[in-house]
Amino acid sequence: MAIVASVAAALVATCLVALALLHVYWGLGGAWPARTRAGLGPMVVGTPPSEAMPSLLACLIVAGLLVTAAILTAVVGFTREPWWVWRVGSAGVGVVLALRGFGGFLEGRLRPETRAQPYFELNRRIYSPLCLVLAGLIGLVGSIGLAP
């Protein structure tokens, strides 16, 4: 069972680090997956094209949180008996991702203005399900780590 926890932790950590790098890229002015920087906000934040993307600082803060989440998950998945703080931190990451995942499906009600943006559909098809999958994998990592 330890191998399953390690594989799940590696998948989650890799995905979270990739997302962190993507946020750094956006913070530095990158536009992908949009063609232009103006088209990025409507795809990844749900803002109109006239509004600016979040600042470099905001993107770096999110990237730092994602790397921290990756480290917490990796430690729990690869360490036989991690210190309880690591477990609590990893469980917290799972809860935050689950809330983000479920909350994404309420986006149209919570922020009705996003319905007109490409973000609305991307959130329902990609962003929210990805958060729920990651949360489930973190739960798997944590539950296997608690097994005798």
Side-chain angles (χ1 to χ4, degrees):
M1 289 302 271
I3 189 75
V4 173
S6 296
V7 169
L11 287 171
V12 171
T14 300
C15 186
L16 292 174
V17 168
L19 291 170
L21 291 172
L22 187 58
H23 280 78
V24 170
Y25 167 76
W26 288 335
L28 294 174
W32 184 85
R35 293 180 188 195
T36 65
R37 186 81 176 155
L40 187 60
M43 290 183 81
V44 301
V45 184
T47 58
S50 60
E51 289 185 31
M53 276 290 291
S55 67
L56 171 61
L57 179 61
C59 290
L60 291 178
I61 289 170
V62 171
L65 292 170
L66 288 166
V67 168
T68 302
I71 292 168
L72 288 168
T73 303
V75 167
V76 171
F78 288 99
T79 306
R80 179 73 176 125
E81 293 184 31
W83 189 37
W84 68 270
V85 171
W86 294 100
R87 286 194 186 284
V88 170
S90 180
V93 169
V95 168
V96 167
L97 285 170
L99 290 172
R100 165 59 183 91
F102 287 119
F105 293 110
L106 301 174
E107 186 78 26
R109 292 181 186 194
L110 299 174
R111 290 181 31 194
E113 68 277 8
T114 63
R115 289 185 194 158
Q117 304 300 333
Y119 170 82
F120 181 74
E121 206 50 44
L122 290 167
N123 192 29
R124 290 173 34 130
R125 292 183 184 213
I126 298 171
Y127 309 149
S128 291
L130 176 62
C131 287
L132 292 174
V133 167
L134 292 173
L137 288 172
I138 290 172
L140 177 70
V141 168
S143 65
I144 288 174
L146 293 175

